[in-house]
């Protein structure tokens, strides 16, 4: 049972998953496919209810909105991933410098 | 043969269909009931190769100091199982073998892209005796392959969604996500769009990358093929070789990454299907 608990801990969201960073490469196609899927679903609805082009347009817009939401969620996960120490330091100093400039 | 014909010829599948599906002007098969024989045969052969090598490997397993190939296979297994542990929250004995199959199969199908573009079609034309015979060697540059794989994954996603969440939980997922309980009609449409986009993005990403890669290989092949006449060949032939090598090395990265992304996304989507609370 202990190993099971350990496994659950390991797979919890707090653990770094650097391999999953590669998924962010697919963000573009996720966005496009959401819009395409929107138009597809809209087209099917239109054929079902004989309402061309109402659903096509509405679902296209919905797909666009959903695409943005999904990308936002996907890229939001990037914050959870720990940056290497060096990058972190330069990142912090840059932020501080920007803060000084603002002042 | 002109450049356009050359590219079109290479991107045309060797397909069979009934007589009424043949376009009278082009003489090519069209419509839904068309079988792309080259795609089917090559994909099946590659699948058979994996099964054959795996079976041979399984019989010859050494527990002491494994040989080079066993080491290689073990490292692939280790890589896949690490990814499954990372991205998959629940317990399901099906996921790791599925991920391994997808990774190996997609990678090997993509690898066909690295074989010189004219070699296999040329050999095929010699064997059949038809100088215009079509052969498209990369199964993943055929949208039918990638869509078939992603629809299989999609069917699994739906199955596990209903199995884990129950029918009520599955319907709830459609009703209250992502805008809360006051926008039920919008939520239904939105969730349908989101679910439909999963297999679409899986299939289109793989197909797009492989198709574009194949096209670049064809364009590079054209440099030497059409431009090199006489002394000019001294310049164009080395350039073609150099460009081909460069693109090959880069493409090796692309095919691995695409196989990897297809695998990880499958795991992630199935993982999402296994989570009770959406």
């Amino acid at each position: 049972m202990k190993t099971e608990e350990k496994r659950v801990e390991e797979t919890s969201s707090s653990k770094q998953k650097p391999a999953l960073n590669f998924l962010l490469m697919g963000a573009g196609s996720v966005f496009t496919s959401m819009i395409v899927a929107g138009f597809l679903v809209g087209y099917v609805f239109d054929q079902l209810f004989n309402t061309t082009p109402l659903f096509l347009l509405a679902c296209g817009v919905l797909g666009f909105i959903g695409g943005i939401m999904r990308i936002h969620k996907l890229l939001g996960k990037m914050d959870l991933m720990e940056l290497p120490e060096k990058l972190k330091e330069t990142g912090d100093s840059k932020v501080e410098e920007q803060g000084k400039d603002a002042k | 043969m002109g450049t356009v014909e050359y590219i079109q010829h290479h991107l045309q599948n060797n397909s069979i269909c009934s007589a009424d599906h043949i376009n009278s002007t082009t003489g090519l098969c069209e419509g839904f009931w068309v079988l792309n024989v080259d795609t089917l045969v090559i994909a099946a052969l590659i699948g058979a190769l994996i099964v054959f090598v795996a079976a041979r490997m399984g019989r010859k397993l050494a527990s002491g100091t494994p040989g080079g190939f066993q080491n290689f296979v073990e490292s692939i297994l280790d890589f896949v199982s690490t990814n499954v542990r990372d991205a998959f929250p629940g317990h399901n004995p099906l996921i790791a073998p599925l991920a391994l199959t997808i990774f190996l199969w997609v990678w090997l199908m993509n690898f066909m892209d690295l074989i010189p573009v004219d070699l296999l079609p040329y050999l095929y034309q010699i064997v059949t005796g038809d100088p215009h015979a079509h052969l498209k060697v990369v199964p993943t540059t055929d949208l039918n392959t990638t869509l078939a794989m992603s629809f299989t994954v999609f069917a699994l996603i739906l199955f596990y969604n209903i199995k884990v969440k129950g029918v009520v939980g599955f319907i709830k997922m459609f009703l209250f996500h992502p805008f809360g309980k006051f926008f039920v009609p919008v939520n239904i449409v939105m969730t349908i769009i989101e679910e439909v986009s999963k297999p679409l993005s899986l299939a289109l990403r793989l197909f797009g990358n492989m198709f574009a890669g194949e096209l670049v290989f064809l364009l590079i092949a054209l440099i030497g093929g059409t431009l090199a006449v006489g002394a000019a060949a001294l310049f164009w032939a080395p350039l073609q070789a150099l460009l081909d090598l460069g693109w090959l090395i880069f493409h090796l990265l692309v095919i691995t990454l695409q196989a990897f992304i297809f695998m990880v996304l499958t795991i992630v989507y199935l993982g999402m299907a296994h989570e009770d609370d959406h």
Side-chain angles (χ1 to χ4, degrees), chain A residues 4 7 10-11 15-20 22-23 25-27 29-30 33-38 40-41 45 55 59-60 62-63 65-67 69-70 73, chain B residues 83-91 177-179 186 188-190 192-198 200-202 204-205 257-258 260-261 264-265 268-269 272:
Chain A
E4 190 128 332
R7 226 188 73 84
E10 277 174 358
T11 51
K15 202 200 155 208
Q16 290 177 51
K17 294 160 187 169
L20 297 187
F22 284 110
L23 286 185
M25 277 182 51
S29 70
V30 168
S33 66
M34 275 296 276
I35 300 174
V36 173
L40 270 180
V41 170
F45 278 165
F55 275 105
C59 292
L62 266 183
I65 298 170
M69 282 170 63
R70 270 186 71 181
K73 216 171 126 188
Chain B
N83 273 306
V84 172
R85 262 204 309 278
D86 270 0
F88 191 72
H91 276 283
H177 168 84
F179 294 121
V186 183
I188 295 174
V189 177
M190 190 67 130
I192 293 176
I193 293 174
E194 211 167 288
E195 292 299 311
V196 171
S197 85
K198 281 176 186 174
L200 266 184
S201 72
L202 267 183
L204 292 179
R205 178 185 306 120
L257 208 57
Q258 287 310 317
F260 172 75
I261 287 179
V264 176
L265 274 182
V268 168
Y269 287 156
M272 276 159 74

